[in-house]
Amino acid sequence: GDRGGDRGGDRGGDRGGDRRGQDAGRKVVVMNLPYSCRWQDLKDIFRTCGVTVIRADIVMGPDGRSKGMGTVIFETPEEAQRVITEMNGVEIDGRQIEIRMDRYA
């Protein structure tokens, strides 16, 4: 059965202050990153999948050091999905990274 209909068709006009929803499906969370990994590295890692990275961020603690996780936004939801399929569980500097969709995007 298709539960369609209530997917909020065109909610036009709200592309301004509230970015929530704009990145839905295109944003992933990457966990268990090596602490040496910077956003530039994150971008390079995912570029090997042949996708377009719009933005990559490393989550920092109050001390300014990496928390070992980051977020990446891709051009399309298909690209985000492809990266999860191809890169989830891949080892970077001996650490197995975990990638999943950002539910809060």
Side-chain angles (χ1 to χ4, degrees):
D2 63 304
R3 300 196 319 276
D6 60 344
R7 291 287 290 274
D10 61 314
R11 298 196 321 280
D14 65 342
R15 293 178 75 98
D18 188 14
R19 304 227 343 134
R20 199 183 163 86
Q22 213 172 312
D23 299 327
R26 300 188 300 143
K27 187 176 184 182
V28 302
V29 181
V30 190
M31 325 272 274
N32 202 33
L33 287 167
Y35 294 111
S36 59
C37 188
R38 298 161 314 168
W39 67 266
Q40 292 96 329
D41 302 319
L42 210 48
K43 233 174 170 167
D44 291 344
I45 291 161
F46 290 128
R47 280 217 185 104
T48 61
C49 286
V51 296
T52 304
V53 176
I54 302 292
R55 192 188 164 95
D57 287 297
I58 299 289
V59 179
M60 298 292 188
D63 56 359
R65 296 198 4 233
S66 163
K67 284 193 145 175
M69 67 178 282
T71 57
V72 186
I73 300 172
F74 299 98
E75 196 166 43
T76 65
E78 291 75 30
E79 288 185 338
Q81 201 56 62
R82 186 155 109 220
V83 160
I84 291 174
T85 307
E86 291 185 17
M87 303 290 286
N88 191 25
V90 163
E91 266 196 29
I92 296 173
D93 288 350
R95 295 172 75 103
Q96 262 205 336
I97 60 168
E98 186 188 323
I99 311 172
R100 49 187 170 74
M101 278 293 171
D102 182 356
R103 293 190 304 275
Y104 308 108

